[in-house]
């Protein structure tokens, strides 16, 4: 995300451009999207807004239009935030520690403190745990450990913390029962429900089920985690909860939906609640890469191949029952423009190296337009038509190459043989549009180009896309290509993914096609990581 994306959120309109340029992370929350947290690049944490229930963490109940320091969190390595309806807020550090503050009438802070206006560490039962993720429902909280264990606390009117109904839990308690012995990799909360995904791609839910949001085939609330058995043959890699509906993304890019549907948030073309998972038709969106919603909303958002963003459900007060393609450039952008209220589903992390202004539509139209081009780049007998001035403005590589050319002669053709035509065309199109339109199997070559040309922002984008697109079927292929292109970071990520899905990966066709040396190296490395211990 870029600095200009903050302009979509009204609460930041009072901030001057110099302050905004220092922001690393931001979160908008609250019933009206009227509260926010900010982390600057020097790890100073600020808050602004209406401060309902002391949720700004500033130690008082005062509202503020301008950023005020949250002293208790300054200097901490904050990894992410989560928030509830009260609102209450959780902060997770890179060191695996959880802090909480704000509304606490249901024990949702879990920190045993009498001062709810200052972030305090959540230590009871978590002191010896390393937390890797957090989630909040309206008035309950979840924490996920690095060993795949789940802790829950807060309101329990429907069993959402995994214990006897109507007994709230003031401190974190491990969710055992059917989750005992399983390794959870993903957690999410609805208003009064909890959902998890295990490392084998199985989905479990518990808590409120009045509109079928647990996906278990009935409308009965559950105290113990129940498996969503209709997904038994599907490997789910991510799950997100809206107020009372659920989106589950498979490792093959298929999207499954269930739960409340009074605004069409399931995207099925009607408004009937569904207590069993239904696969959303892929004719329009194609392969889905990411999904988002929030327990504050009845909106659903998906990013499909080509970075196309779709939305459906309650959008600006209207009910949209089918996925609609938007002009937005990100999931966050849809929340800012169309969700009610306009809150963030997760913190917005800003890049350090981005242009000051966005690209306008005419640049997109000008790309590869022979009628206005003053430079052709020949890649293996094919031509791509570009503009010297734009390349010089957007790329240090071309700035160095073309600066003298612009001043001394009218060179009109450059020959390039190092990279493939599709990859080079995608690179040039990125310079014009800030968009990456390329198949996953070619993304590592684009990453190699980005490294060779010192295009650091493009490098970051490539790594993000590669990570989102890795599946059981292509993990071994991506691993081998990463080795071929000497992309160490991607190689390590592919290896860890394969390690976490070892049984499935080694049975794929792409694993069988690995050359002997690559396969041997992989097996030795997996053995050293303990993959074959009994």
């Amino acid at each position: 995300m870029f600095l200009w994306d903050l302009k979509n959120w009204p609460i930041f309109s009072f901030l001057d451009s110099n302050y905004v340029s220092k922001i690393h992370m931001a979160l908008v929350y609250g019933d009206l999207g009227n509260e926010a947290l900010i982390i600057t690049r020097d790890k100073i944490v600020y808050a602004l807004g209406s401060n309902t229930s002391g949720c700004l963490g500033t130690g008082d109940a005062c509202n503020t239009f301008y950023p005020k320091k949250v002293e208790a969190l300054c200097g901490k390595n904050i990894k992410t935030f989560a928030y509830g309806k009260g609102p209450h807020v959780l902060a997770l550090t890179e060191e695996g520690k959880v802090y909480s503050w704000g509304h606490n009438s249901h024990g949702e802070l879990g920190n045993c403190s009498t001062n709810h206006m200052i972030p305090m560490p959540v230590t009871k039962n978590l002191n010896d745990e390393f937390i890797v993720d957090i989630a909040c429902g309206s008035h309950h909280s979840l924490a996920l450990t690095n060993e795949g264990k789940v802790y829950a606390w807060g309101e329990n009117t429907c069993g959402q913390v995994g214990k006897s109904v109507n007994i709230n839990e003031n401190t974190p308690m491990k969710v055992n029962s059917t989750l005992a012995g399983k390794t959870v990799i993903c957690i999410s909360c609805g208003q009064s429900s909890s959902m998890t995904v295990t490392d084998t791609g199985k989905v479990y839910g518990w808590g409120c089920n009045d509109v079928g949001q647990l996906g278990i085939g009935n409308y009965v609330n559950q105290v113990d985690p129940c498996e969503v058995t209709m997904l038994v043959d599907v490997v789910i890699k991510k799950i997100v909860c809206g107020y009372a509906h659920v989106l589950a993304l498979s490792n093959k890019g298929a999207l499954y939906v269930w739960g409340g549907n009074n605004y069409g948030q399931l995207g099925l073309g009607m408004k009937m609640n569904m207590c069993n998972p239904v696969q959303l038709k892929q004719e329009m969106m194609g392969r889905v890469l990411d999904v988002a919603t929030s327990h504050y909303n009845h909106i659903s958002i998906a990013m499909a191949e080509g970075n196309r963003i779709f939305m459906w459900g309650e959008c600006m007060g209207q009910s949209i029952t089918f996925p609609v393609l938007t002009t937005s450039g990100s999931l966050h952008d849809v929340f800012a423009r169309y969700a009610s209220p306009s809150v963030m589903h997760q913190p917005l992390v800003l890049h350090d190296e981005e242009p000051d202004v966005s690209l306008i539509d005419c640049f997109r139209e000008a790309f590869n337009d022979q009628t206005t081009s003053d430079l052709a780049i020949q890649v293996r007998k094919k031509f791509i038509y570009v503009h010297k001035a734009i390349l010089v403005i957007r790329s240090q590589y071309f700035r160095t190459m073309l600066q003298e050319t612009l001043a001394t002669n009218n060179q009109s053709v450059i020959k390039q043989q190092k990279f493939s035509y599709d990859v080079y065309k995608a690179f040039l199109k990125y310079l014009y549009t800030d968009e990456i339109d390329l198949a996953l199997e070619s993304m590592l070559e684009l990453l190699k180009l980005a490294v060779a040309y010192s295009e650091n922002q493009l490098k970051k984008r490539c790594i993000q896309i590669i990570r989102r697109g890795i599946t059981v079927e292509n993990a071994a292929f991506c691993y081998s290509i990463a080795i071929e292109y000497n992309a160490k970071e991607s190689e390590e990520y592919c290896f860890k993914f394969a390690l976490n899905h070892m049984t499935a990966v080694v049975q794929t066709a792409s694993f069988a096609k690995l050359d002997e040396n690559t396969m041997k190296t992989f097996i030795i490395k997996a053995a050293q990581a303990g993959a074959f211990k009994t």
Side-chain angles (χ1 to χ4, degrees):
M1 300 295 293
F2 304 107
L3 291 176
W4 62 74
D5 290 299
L6 285 178
K7 297 177 181 177
N8 295 326
W9 305 91
I11 194 169
F12 298 127
S13 59
F14 288 95
L15 305 182
D16 64 58
S17 57
N18 183 54
Y19 179 84
V20 170
S21 68
K22 300 176 182 178
I23 295 177
H24 163 67
M25 180 191 294
L27 177 74
V28 177
Y29 56 105
D31 284 343
L32 299 173
N34 55 346
E35 285 144 340
L37 291 165
I38 291 171
I39 303 178
T40 56
R41 294 174 187 170
D42 55 359
K43 299 182 182 180
I44 303 301
V45 182
Y46 297 88
L48 67 156
S50 66
N51 205 15
T52 307
S53 300
C55 69
L56 296 186
T58 53
D60 56 46
C62 300
N63 303 342
T64 175
F65 275 116
Y66 299 98
K68 184 176 181 179
K69 279 187 180 181
V70 183
E71 298 287 355
L73 296 180
C74 289
K76 301 287 193 304
N77 295 314
I78 303 298
K79 176 182 178 181
T80 191
F81 295 104
Y83 59 88
K85 188 76 172 177
H88 74 284
V89 186
L90 303 183
L92 175 64
T93 71
E94 294 287 355
E95 292 75 26
K97 301 303 180 183
V98 178
Y99 291 78
S100 64
W101 65 98
H103 192 271
N104 195 36
S105 63
H106 305 279
E108 53 264 54
L109 298 188
N111 60 21
C112 302
S113 173
T114 56
N115 188 348
H116 65 95
M117 295 183 179
I118 295 177
M120 299 292 290
V122 183
T123 55
K124 186 66 179 293
N125 296 330
L126 296 186
N127 208 32
D128 296 325
E129 300 284 8
F130 190 100
I131 305 302
V132 295
D133 200 10
I134 50 177
C136 294
S138 289
H139 298 291
H140 74 289
S141 307
L142 296 182
L144 176 65
T145 76
N146 61 338
E147 296 178 340
K149 296 179 289 187
V150 178
Y151 286 82
W153 62 97
E155 185 181 47
N156 194 45
T157 52
C158 303
Q160 58 265 48
V161 300
K163 60 181 292 185
S164 298
V165 176
N166 291 327
I167 302 176
N168 294 340
E169 185 54 64
N170 295 318
T171 56
M173 297 296 293
K174 190 188 300 183
V175 181
N176 282 316
S177 185
T178 47
L179 288 186
K182 296 178 175 62
T183 302
V184 173
I185 61 171
C186 179
I187 57 175
S188 186
C189 295
Q191 178 209 18
S192 300
S193 58
S194 304
M195 302 294 299
T196 62
V197 180
T198 70
D199 60 347
T200 59
K202 304 303 181 186
V203 177
Y204 292 81
W206 63 99
C208 186
N209 194 34
D210 58 349
V211 291
Q213 56 264 57
L214 299 186
I216 57 176
N218 60 49
Y219 298 92
V220 180
N221 295 347
Q222 300 293 324
V223 173
D224 295 322
C226 293
E227 183 178 356
V228 181
T229 55
M230 283 195 65
L231 294 176
V232 67
D233 295 322
V234 181
V235 177
I236 298 299
K237 68 175 185 178
K238 181 176 183 178
I239 197 163
V240 292
C241 298
Y243 182 87
H245 77 288
V246 178
L247 309 177
L249 182 61
S250 82
N251 63 336
K252 295 183 179 180
L255 182 57
Y256 295 82
V257 298
W258 63 88
N261 195 30
N262 54 325
Y263 293 93
Q265 58 264 45
L266 300 187
L268 302 173
M270 46 76 172
K271 296 184 179 182
M272 181 185 299
N273 298 337
M274 304 297 294
C275 61
N276 282 313
V278 178
Q279 183 177 350
L280 207 59
K281 294 181 179 179
Q282 292 185 267
E283 286 83 353
M284 180 183 295
M285 290 191 292
R287 186 170 182 271
V288 176
L289 303 178
D290 201 4
V291 288
T293 183
S294 164
H295 68 85
Y296 258 74
N297 307 114
H298 305 285
I299 194 172
S300 299
I301 309 168
M303 180 173 67
E305 287 182 308
N307 291 322
R308 295 172 300 140
I309 308 294
F310 292 82
M311 70 175 184
W312 60 98
E314 185 184 16
C315 306
M316 296 184 69
Q318 299 183 52
S319 296
I320 301 176
T321 60
F322 281 111
V324 173
L325 180 63
T326 74
T327 58
S328 298
S330 69
L331 302 176
H332 274 290
D333 192 25
V334 176
F335 276 100
R337 295 182 180 185
Y338 304 107
S340 303
S342 294
V343 295
M344 292 181 179
H345 64 298
Q346 63 184 29
L348 188 160
V349 178
L350 300 166
H351 298 314
D352 292 339
E353 302 172 7
E354 66 283 335
D356 291 330
V357 294
S358 60
L359 297 170
I360 57 177
D361 289 341
C362 64
F363 282 2
R364 183 179 291 105
E365 295 174 3
F367 173 67
N368 211 19
D369 182 359
Q370 188 175 359
T371 62
T372 61
S373 168
D374 61 357
L375 178 67
I377 297 182
Q378 184 179 349
V379 185
R380 303 181 183 182
K381 299 183 179 180
K382 293 183 180 181
F383 289 89
I384 307 169
Y385 298 98
V386 291
H387 306 76
K388 294 177 183 177
I390 292 178
L391 299 188
V392 168
I393 291 170
R394 286 280 286 166
S395 169
Q396 180 62 49
Y397 173 83
F398 283 110
R399 190 175 304 135
T400 302
M401 175 191 289
L402 295 175
Q403 232 164 14
E404 290 186 3
T405 301
L406 286 171
T408 60
N409 62 59
N410 295 314
Q411 180 182 358
S412 59
V413 178
I414 293 176
K415 293 185 178 181
Q416 193 287 133
Q417 301 294 332
K418 188 174 181 180
F419 299 98
S420 68
Y421 173 81
D422 288 342
V423 166
Y424 212 84
K425 183 179 179 182
F427 165 59
L428 294 173
K429 185 176 180 180
Y430 162 78
L431 295 181
Y432 276 69
T433 66
D434 217 28
E435 300 167 356
I436 299 175
D437 184 12
L438 194 64
L440 180 66
E441 53 265 27
S442 300
M443 198 59 64
L444 281 161
E445 186 183 353
L446 182 61
L447 175 59
K448 182 181 179 181
L449 186 155
V451 172
Y453 285 10
S454 299
E455 293 287 344
N456 293 328
Q457 191 59 56
L458 177 58
K459 175 184 174 182
K460 293 177 184 177
R461 294 274 299 277
C462 287
I463 291 173
Q464 291 172 352
I465 293 171
I466 290 167
R467 290 185 174 184
R468 285 199 302 262
I470 291 177
T471 66
V472 167
E473 285 77 14
N474 66 24
F477 171 76
C478 291
Y479 174 76
S480 64
I481 296 298
I483 293 175
E484 179 182 343
Y485 288 116
N486 196 31
K488 295 295 184 182
E489 186 174 350
S490 293
E491 176 189 339
E492 189 62 26
Y493 185 86
C494 292
F495 173 77
K496 288 181 178 178
F497 179 92
L499 197 63
N500 289 333
H501 303 82
M502 179 66 73
T503 302
V505 168
V506 298
Q507 297 180 67
T508 62
S510 63
F511 186 85
K513 292 178 182 178
L514 291 178
D515 64 76
E516 184 178 348
N517 288 335
T518 301
M519 184 178 292
K520 182 179 179 181
T521 302
F522 175 88
I523 292 172
I524 292 173
K525 191 174 180 181
Q528 292 172 341
F532 306 119
K533 290 181 179 179
T534 57

